[in-house]
Amino acid sequence: MPKLKIVIRPQEIHRNKDGLFDVKIRITHQGKTRYIGTGIYVDKNQIDTNGNIIDHPNAAKYNIKLRNILNLYDKKILDLPVDIKTKSMKSLIDYLREIDTEGRENDFILHAEKFKKDLFQKGRDNYAISFESMISAIKEFTRKSRIDFIKITPEWLQDFKDFYLDKKRSINTIAIYQRNMRVVFNDAIKKKLISRDLYPFYEYQIRQSQTRKRSLDIEDIKKIRDAELKKSNWTRARDLFMLSFYMNGINFADLLLAQKKDVYKGRLIFNRAKTGRNYSILIQPEAWEIINRYQGNKYLLYFIEHKKQIAKANRKVPLHKDIVDYTNRLLKKVAGEAGITVPLSTYFARHSLASIARNIGVPKDDIRSLLGHGENSITDIYIDLDLERIDQAMRSVLDALAKNPIIY
């Protein structure tokens, strides 16, 4: 029968950069010894000969976690469907790492991959891509293709953050990685795949720097609208930016993926790619003027259809993401021609709309509804809100762009 014990390996090679040692489960079987890390780090003087953590501020919690792990492994060994003596050390280690006694995965990356796949199936491509980036970052950090939930501790998260700060990755990018990790943990706990005891975010705080202001004032929007641009692709980028602004700050993914069948009685009715919620936007005359220049066959705009003609069949990145990235590069040129000293991107359309609406006196609740936040799904709009009120809020912003603006 395999023997299990909580230990550290006190050799210098096993220290982390803070001089601490990973507490491990030592497994002895068939005359061989192997170790499985737990992700808990302590000084070599903070563990006694019985595997108890001592003289550490988190000693009680760590001891509970370690006993839970040990008990889980013991139970898994007892429940082995074959004679334990016939199992090699490698197959035993793989068995202990991969599944628990109820066939549930302990591998964080495996669960994250499933979560990402589910997002793609739901059409939430941009969100799914952010999980893909997180998974790649974890693999780069660990140099492994799997990691158990139990190894992702507050200390591990701090090491992960320090690793990417050293690589000059922005603090906000790292925060996105770690927020996505938190989502995976919450999903696994909700599905009862792991215990709440393993949740590392009770202690670890995800921090990010304040995002640079992404809003323009009304005069800046006028400069972009009226700029005389030298190249046709700059003009297309400007038109897409203004169309997003004219259509209630619609997300670019929603704008590019909108189909003609989604237009009913002059309104675009769709499910938002980011949230999956239903939403309805009145297509104002200013918006129709741009749409008519770029009408597609199936899609409201032709950009996706043109991209499909040249895209590889086995591509993984959604077509609209390439279009958004390209548009963002061109918008930097547009800003320069318009005399705008900001790194203009698609995000500015939505943020600027909210800022301008607030400045001309549109009530905060109406701005939230205008942007599709919170309670303003199409069902809720019909029940609690008046669509005409939202349309008038948008009309007020557009009128403010005219020479004689009408104040809301």
Side-chain angles (χ1 to χ4, degrees):
M1 190 73 175
K3 294 181 180 179
L4 308 180
K5 187 174 182 180
I6 300 169
V7 300
I8 62 167
R9 303 179 74 181
Q11 296 86 352
E12 286 298 315
I13 194 174
H14 298 297
R15 283 183 186 269
N16 69 5
K17 67 178 184 179
D18 296 320
L20 302 177
F21 297 90
D22 184 11
V23 179
K24 298 179 181 290
I25 306 296
R26 185 179 68 196
I27 303 168
T28 306
H29 178 54
Q30 295 178 342
K32 298 179 180 178
T33 300
R34 295 290 185 273
Y35 299 85
I36 298 179
T38 65
I40 293 174
Y41 289 86
V42 298
D43 188 83
K44 63 182 179 181
N45 297 320
Q46 292 176 322
I47 184 169
D48 65 21
T49 55
N50 294 318
N52 296 308
I53 306 301
I54 57 175
D55 299 328
H56 189 284
N58 294 318
K61 187 173 72 174
Y62 283 174
N63 284 324
I64 291 172
K65 282 188 178 181
L66 291 169
R67 295 303 157 190
N68 285 342
I69 295 168
L70 205 59
N71 291 338
L72 175 63
Y73 286 174
D74 277 333
K75 189 174 187 304
K76 288 165 85 171
I77 290 170
L78 289 173
D79 289 349
L80 270 171
V82 296
D83 187 343
I84 189 65
K85 293 180 181 179
T86 65
K87 268 203 173 290
S88 68
M89 173 62 89
K90 182 180 183 306
S91 61
L92 176 62
I93 295 293
D94 289 343
Y95 170 73
L96 292 177
R97 280 178 163 165
E98 290 296 338
I99 58 173
D100 70 13
T101 55
E102 297 180 15
R104 301 176 307 195
E105 299 85 350
N106 287 326
D107 181 6
F108 176 91
I109 289 178
L110 178 62
H111 192 70
E113 292 277 8
K114 290 180 178 178
F115 191 87
K116 177 195 75 175
K117 183 178 178 182
D118 187 49
L119 289 173
F120 273 125
Q121 289 174 344
K122 291 177 179 177
R124 302 181 66 184
D125 292 354
N126 283 345
Y127 196 30
I129 289 169
S130 75
F131 280 82
E132 204 165 64
S133 299
M134 173 204 72
I135 292 167
S136 296
I138 292 174
K139 288 180 178 178
E140 181 185 22
F141 172 59
T142 62
R143 297 185 181 179
K144 295 178 181 178
S145 61
R146 54 153 292 118
I147 181 170
D148 292 346
F149 277 96
I150 59 175
K151 286 193 173 182
I152 301 178
T153 62
E155 292 80 7
W156 185 96
L157 290 166
Q158 185 61 50
D159 287 344
F160 176 91
K161 177 180 177 181
D162 293 343
F163 176 82
Y164 281 108
L165 286 175
D166 289 344
K167 283 183 166 287
K168 309 301 181 186
R169 203 74 53 94
S170 77
I171 188 69
N172 287 349
T173 297
I174 298 168
I176 291 171
Y177 294 154
Q178 295 188 331
R179 283 201 302 271
N180 285 349
M181 292 180 203
R182 186 172 61 194
V183 169
V184 174
F185 264 93
N186 286 332
D187 187 66
I189 291 170
K190 180 180 178 181
K191 292 176 179 174
K192 300 189 183 209
L193 302 180
I194 61 171
S195 165
R196 286 188 179 276
D197 292 339
L198 298 182
Y199 191 68
F201 296 97
Y202 292 130
E203 295 177 41
Y204 182 83
Q205 296 284 323
I206 299 173
R207 301 192 184 281
Q208 64 184 65
S209 62
Q210 186 173 359
T211 304
R212 179 188 298 172
K213 179 184 175 185
R214 285 179 173 173
S215 63
L216 304 170
D217 62 28
I218 198 165
E219 294 304 318
D220 289 333
I221 295 295
K222 287 181 181 179
K223 289 178 183 178
I224 293 170
R225 179 195 63 191
D226 299 335
E228 294 185 7
L229 302 174
K230 301 174 183 176
K231 297 183 179 181
S232 59
N233 57 349
W234 295 3
T235 299
R236 285 193 295 271
R238 185 263 307 280
D239 286 349
L240 279 174
F241 178 89
M242 292 306 302
L243 183 56
S244 172
F245 184 91
Y246 292 153
M247 293 182 65
N248 298 25
I250 186 174
N251 180 278
F252 259 61
D254 294 327
L255 178 60
L256 293 168
L257 295 172
Q259 298 186 18
K260 286 187 171 182
K261 67 179 179 63
D262 299 328
V263 178
Y264 179 71
K265 293 185 176 181
R267 308 190 74 87
L268 178 65
I269 301 173
F270 62 100
N271 292 330
R272 294 189 64 197
K274 184 175 182 180
T275 64
R277 293 173 66 88
N278 294 326
Y279 193 53
S280 172
I281 294 174
L282 175 66
I283 304 178
Q284 304 274 359
E286 292 88 342
W288 275 121
E289 184 182 346
I290 295 175
I291 291 170
N292 290 334
R293 290 203 291 270
Y294 302 102
Q295 276 202 50
N297 295 318
K298 175 183 176 182
Y299 291 89
L300 188 63
L301 306 173
Y302 65 57
F303 298 99
I304 291 286
E305 291 164 349
H306 284 196
K307 191 71 177 175
K308 280 183 176 179
Q309 295 175 5
I310 60 173
K312 295 180 180 179
N314 61 347
R315 63 177 280 120
K316 291 184 178 180
V317 178
L319 294 173
H320 70 266
K321 188 175 188 303
D322 278 355
I323 299 170
V324 172
D325 290 344
Y326 183 55
T327 301
N328 278 331
R329 291 197 295 274
L330 295 178
L331 285 174
K332 307 297 185 292
K333 302 291 186 182
V334 172
E337 292 295 306
I340 306 296
T341 58
V342 299
L344 190 63
S345 71
T346 59
Y347 290 107
F348 277 82
R350 186 173 178 83
H351 290 245
S352 300
L353 173 62
S355 177
I356 292 169
R358 184 179 64 250
N359 290 339
I360 66 171
V362 177
K364 184 176 180 181
D365 286 344
D366 286 359
I367 294 173
R368 284 177 53 79
S369 300
L370 181 69
L371 297 174
H373 287 165
E375 70 282 356
N376 52 344
S377 71
I378 187 169
T379 302
D380 292 333
I381 285 170
Y382 281 121
I383 294 172
D384 300 318
L385 300 165
D386 184 353
L387 276 174
E388 291 185 7
R389 185 177 179 87
I390 296 171
D391 299 342
Q392 180 56 42
M394 187 64 226
R395 187 67 252 165
S396 297
V397 174
L398 297 180
D399 288 343
L401 286 173
K403 292 182 180 179
N404 299 307
I406 299 172
I407 304 302
Y408 189 89

